Amino acid sequence: MAAISCLALFFGNLMSGYLMERFGRRISLLFVSLFFLLGWCIIGFANNILHLVLFGRFITGICQGWLGPLGPVYVGEITTPIYRGFFLASLSLGIAVGVFLSHLFGTFLHWSYACQLCGLFPLTAGIILFFAPESPAWLASINRIDDCISSFQWFRGASPAMKLELEKMLAEQSKRDKSKSKFETLKENIKKPEFWKPLCIMVTFFAITQLSGVNVICAYSTDMMKKLMGKRAKDSHAYAAMLSIDVLRCVSLIIACILLRRSGRRPMSLFSGVFTSLSLLGLATYLYLVDKNIIHHISPFISLSLIAFYIVVSNMGISLLPWNMVGEVFAAETKGIGSGISVMMTSISFFATVKTAPAMFESIGHHGTYMFYGLSTTFGTLFLYFCLPETKDKTLLQIEEYFRYGKKRNTTEKDVIDI
């Protein structure tokens, strides 16, 4: 039941890149909203018929995988460089609020009513998207220049700085060879450094996120809370601790959204990686001492404080920033395939970690599982230290040129005039 939606993520990722390039970001998002609503309705009205519940879970899993690359790409293309980090981070905040609400509904309502309530959210999103314009970058890529200008001004306004960015985007688009087929163009683009460099970074970053165990806690919250609170914990205590963790996750993401306006992606990733590793290794060590009877009784205060600290620091960067950066590091013509492959990696890792977590808890214990996640995060943080670039306050074109030329060149106003 827990893993089937994770398995379906893979198929959603496969569809997402093609559909967002073929039909546009907005139309794809409208279809996601429709199928999300369908999936929740199937689950909500399944009346305890197991195969219907599983089918509905599979559909919502496909939609989650479909939305994974699509949401950051759309948000990254419609927002200004100054506010892009904040709005991309708000996607992770939205996920955290959704997890909290679904847990809240499930705690106090029958699961069928909880699912019907969850269906209201994609319905609302579809209504909002119906009145929103298409991404200006996608409109420029299919040579709908007038629509592109109209959409850009709707989202960004018509200030001199915005006009300059629009001119840069249109100038870059005019240089691209339109005589080749889309397949030939794609074949050439995937060989370029501005495609494979960010792809390698994002695939690894998403894998690091999942191997830090963030989604294992979401999937098995109550069981983990019972273990961390000791044998005397009641079910009601575990549910209360789960909801408290969910609230803490939302609060930490709100703080992270604010900090991203002032701090860069790179320092926040490294800070989060180091302290996420320390919190996991500290929790693993404490549980090991309890299991070996060196410490005779588990202290809920210590164990829950460590997991709370882990929730805060992991959501300050390691679980937040891959979703933030996947919408901004790829060039316009490879955004679909690049973001799709990157998020596919997190879907595979998501399924693997959620599926293997119960077996790991049984075979190597909770302390061994946390130790594995802590060491994985440590090695991942070392990778980020050497490979992760800074994208704060840079336009999408400047980021593209960083991967193409390295640190040697960035587009200036003079470059646009020369073009």
Side-chain angles (χ1 to χ4, degrees):
M1 187 71 74
I4 191 168
S5 66
C6 306
L7 177 64
L9 291 173
F10 177 79
F11 300 100
N13 298 152
L14 284 176
M15 297 162 46
S16 186
Y18 169 76
L19 292 174
M20 78 167 83
E21 296 297 341
R22 176 69 179 82
F23 298 106
R25 287 46 161 154
R26 174 178 165 274
I27 296 298
S28 295
L29 284 165
L30 285 170
F31 277 120
V32 171
S33 300
L34 179 63
F35 282 98
F36 244 135
L37 178 60
L38 175 64
W40 282 120
C41 287
I42 290 173
I43 301 171
F45 295 102
N47 292 325
N48 292 318
I49 302 173
L50 180 60
H51 67 270
L52 279 180
V53 175
L54 293 174
F55 180 58
R57 288 275 293 165
F58 190 79
I59 290 178
T60 55
I62 286 178
C63 292
Q64 189 179 346
W66 187 352
L67 183 60
L70 179 57
V73 166
Y74 184 64
V75 172
E77 289 179 346
I78 65 175
T79 51
T80 63
I82 294 175
Y83 295 106
R84 190 172 61 236
F86 173 84
F87 282 110
L88 285 168
S90 70
L91 296 176
S92 294
L93 175 60
I95 292 170
V97 172
V99 169
F100 167 68
L101 289 175
S102 62
H103 284 168
L104 184 68
F105 297 158
T107 300
F108 296 106
L109 299 173
H110 188 270
W111 61 266
S112 61
Y113 297 131
C115 292
Q116 291 166 29
L117 278 176
C118 288
L120 294 176
F121 292 91
L123 176 62
T124 305
I127 293 170
I128 293 170
L129 284 163
F130 182 80
F131 295 101
E134 180 55 84
S135 158
W138 182 78
L139 292 169
S141 72
I142 60 171
N143 210 33
R144 288 169 54 183
I145 303 303
D146 291 340
D147 291 336
C148 168
I149 294 171
S150 175
S151 173
F152 193 93
Q153 291 176 345
W154 193 93
F155 282 116
R156 309 276 195 94
S159 68
M162 296 302 103
K163 286 181 180 178
L164 178 60
E165 187 179 345
L166 178 60
E167 288 169 5
K168 289 178 185 179
M169 183 175 68
L170 294 177
E172 182 69 17
Q173 186 62 35
S174 68
K175 292 191 297 181
R176 290 176 180 142
D177 188 355
K178 297 179 177 62
S179 63
K180 297 178 181 177
S181 69
K182 284 190 175 182
F183 179 75
E184 290 174 321
T185 303
L186 181 61
K187 241 177 122 179
E188 286 185 4
N189 286 335
I190 61 176
K191 297 176 184 176
K192 295 177 180 178
E194 59 264 37
F195 173 74
W196 60 261
K197 283 182 181 179
L199 180 67
C200 292
I201 292 170
M202 294 313 304
V203 162
T204 308
F205 203 168
F206 273 115
I208 294 165
T209 298
Q210 295 305 319
L211 289 173
S212 69
V214 290
N215 284 309
V216 172
I217 292 179
C218 291
Y220 303 108
S221 295
T222 51
D223 292 337
M224 295 174 73
M225 291 303 109
K226 287 176 185 175
K227 172 66 179 178
L228 294 176
M229 295 173 73
K231 295 179 180 178
R232 297 179 181 178
K234 299 178 181 178
D235 285 351
S236 60
H237 295 163
Y239 277 104
M242 175 188 71
L243 293 175
S244 300
I245 291 294
D246 289 343
V247 171
L248 187 62
R249 184 185 294 113
C250 295
V251 172
S252 62
L253 280 166
I254 291 171
I255 296 170
C257 289
I258 296 169
L259 287 177
L260 274 171
R261 287 278 290 110
R262 300 183 179 183
S263 179
R265 282 51 152 171
R266 181 177 164 81
M268 285 189 66
S269 297
L270 298 177
F271 167 83
S272 175
V274 168
F275 285 98
T276 298
S277 302
L278 291 175
S279 60
L280 286 166
L281 295 174
L283 183 59
T285 303
Y286 178 71
L287 292 177
Y288 176 79
L289 295 174
V290 171
D291 287 345
K292 295 300 179 182
N293 288 320
I294 298 173
I295 298 175
H296 296 294
H297 299 288
I298 193 166
S299 167
F301 176 77
I302 296 175
S303 58
L304 292 179
S305 295
L306 285 168
I307 201 70
F309 181 69
Y310 161 78
I311 291 293
V312 171
V313 294
S314 64
N315 283 290
M316 298 291 279
I318 208 79
S319 70
L320 162 73
L321 289 170
W323 299 101
N324 188 297
M325 297 184 72
V326 76
E328 58 186 7
V329 295
F330 291 104
E333 62 269 27
T334 56
K335 258 190 170 58
I337 187 171
S339 59
I341 294 172
S342 301
V343 177
M344 193 184 300
M345 183 66 220
T346 202
S347 300
I348 294 169
S349 304
F350 190 172
F351 174 73
T353 53
V354 171
K355 187 66 179 172
T356 57
M360 291 177 69
F361 289 142
E362 286 292 324
S363 59
I364 61 176
H366 281 250
H367 66 271
T369 305
Y370 293 129
M371 181 66 70
F372 171 78
Y373 293 149
L375 292 173
S376 299
T377 309
T378 301
F379 290 120
T381 304
L382 288 173
F383 170 84
L384 296 177
Y385 176 79
F386 289 107
C387 299
L388 189 70
E390 183 55 76
T391 60
K392 182 178 181 292
D393 292 341
K394 293 182 180 178
T395 67
L396 298 180
L397 184 57
Q398 286 174 330
I399 296 168
E400 179 182 340
E401 289 188 340
Y402 170 84
F403 288 113
R404 185 184 299 159
Y405 303 113
K407 296 180 180 179
K408 295 181 291 184
R409 179 184 171 191
N410 265 325
T411 300
T412 63
E413 185 169 355
K414 183 179 179 299
D415 293 324
V416 178
I417 294 169
D418 290 342
I419 290 167

